[in-house]
Amino acid sequence: MTGAPTDPLSLFSVAGKVAIITGSSGAFGAVAAETLASAGAKLVLTAGKAKELAEIAAECRTRGAEVEEISGRPTSEAVCDAIVAKAVERFGRVDILVVASGKNDVAKIVDMAPERFLELMDANVTQSWLMSRAAGRQMLAQGEGGKIILMSSARGLLGHPAGYTAYCASKSAVDGITRALGCEWGPTGITVNAIAPTVFRSPLTAWMFGDDERATTTRAGFLARVPKGRLGEPADLSGPLLFLASRASDFYTGHILYADGGYTAG
């Protein structure tokens, strides 16, 4: 006997779990929201763009999910605490946190004002730290563990010559938070992991999937480094997200999961 479960698919169930997703109107946030909605989770969705937030909330409701909408970004301790408090008020607890909010700002270091660097670090690093702190405090009080999933990038591991000093620094910091919190909360049952994609289809990258000369040239150069030979699709993030949000990943914490088609392998 190996001790393997007789119903292994049940390990991936998030039915009835309460998930907070920040940045839920963005590319990864929307994937996370739709994936967890279809899997039976109850959702607290936050986003800075009211129209897009309403649209993703409506989509999740068509998939059968109960949804609480909160307009705004996790910009301060008070805001993050209020997001968690609203989740507890509506659903009684918090089981999953997905921090999908953030930004990119590309410029050569000599052309980037310090204020732009600090704004990007705040959006990607400080807000991830604050939301993890707020949700983690609630999970610790519940005493039943929990799942925290942060949004990293292959740029947290690899540099880029096109003006990514701020973005690379921010994602490296997210990786550091992930590893440190994985160690800090290891005994509590709270797992802390990050998903780190390369380029995948989104409104910001849609041009790279085109047939014009710029897209074709850029794509060819990038794909020369990707063993799978293609760019990412939203569905490529759904599986890792569900794994990290469910009991299937109970023994995994402090990990950076590269959803990159092998980009960081070679």
Side-chain angles (χ1 to χ4, degrees):
M1 299 291 291
T2 65
T6 57
D7 183 15
L9 291 181
S10 68
L11 293 173
F12 295 88
S13 175
V14 294
K17 299 294 185 180
V18 179
I20 296 173
I21 304 172
T22 70
S24 56
S25 66
F28 176 65
V31 170
E34 292 172 359
T35 298
L36 294 179
S38 296
K42 302 173 183 178
L43 304 181
V44 177
L45 304 181
T46 82
K49 298 178 180 178
K51 178 176 180 292
E52 288 82 353
L53 174 61
E55 290 172 351
I56 189 63
E59 172 61 29
C60 289
R61 290 187 181 103
T62 67
R63 296 176 182 230
E66 297 180 61
V67 180
E68 180 72 25
E69 300 170 49
I70 302 175
S71 181
R73 297 180 174 88
T75 52
S76 69
E77 177 184 8
V79 170
C80 294
D81 288 346
I83 292 170
V84 172
K86 188 64 176 179
V88 174
E89 177 187 340
R90 173 71 187 272
F91 296 120
R93 59 185 296 111
V94 175
D95 301 298
I96 301 163
L97 169 67
V98 181
V99 179
S101 50
K103 65 180 293 186
N104 193 3
D105 188 358
V106 178
K108 300 285 187 172
I109 190 169
V110 295
D111 299 322
M112 177 175 277
E115 292 78 13
R116 288 171 63 184
F117 175 85
L118 293 173
E119 286 175 4
L120 191 145
M121 293 296 286
D122 178 72
N124 292 351
V125 184
T126 304
Q127 293 178 25
S128 294
W129 189 89
L130 287 171
M131 274 307 309
S132 297
R133 180 175 181 265
R137 182 185 285 122
Q138 176 62 31
M139 293 173 180
L140 289 169
Q142 292 166 187
E144 299 175 10
K147 302 288 182 177
I148 294 178
I149 304 163
L150 303 182
M151 188 63 178
S152 184
S153 167
R155 295 292 152 227
L157 178 67
L158 301 174
H160 195 284
Y164 276 75
T165 57
Y167 188 74
C168 288
S170 73
K171 293 306 182 179
S172 293
V174 169
D175 292 352
I177 291 172
T178 301
R179 296 187 180 102
L181 271 184
C183 294
E184 184 173 330
W185 285 340
T188 71
I190 300 171
T191 65
V192 185
N193 296 288
I195 295 178
T198 57
V199 176
F200 72 98
R201 190 187 299 270
S202 74
L204 291 177
T205 63
W207 68 271
M208 287 186 66
F209 291 77
D211 297 324
D212 59 277
E213 182 178 356
R214 178 189 176 215
T216 302
T217 301
T218 302
R219 189 167 63 244
F222 183 78
L223 292 181
R225 285 282 313 278
V226 180
K228 290 294 290 183
R230 66 173 176 84
L231 301 178
E233 296 289 348
D236 295 318
L237 302 179
S238 292
L241 184 280
L242 188 59
F243 168 67
L244 294 178
S246 67
R247 288 191 301 120
S249 60
D250 277 357
F251 198 57
Y252 296 77
T253 196
H255 283 283
I256 317 301
L257 181 52
Y258 293 99
D260 65 355
Y263 179 73
T264 57

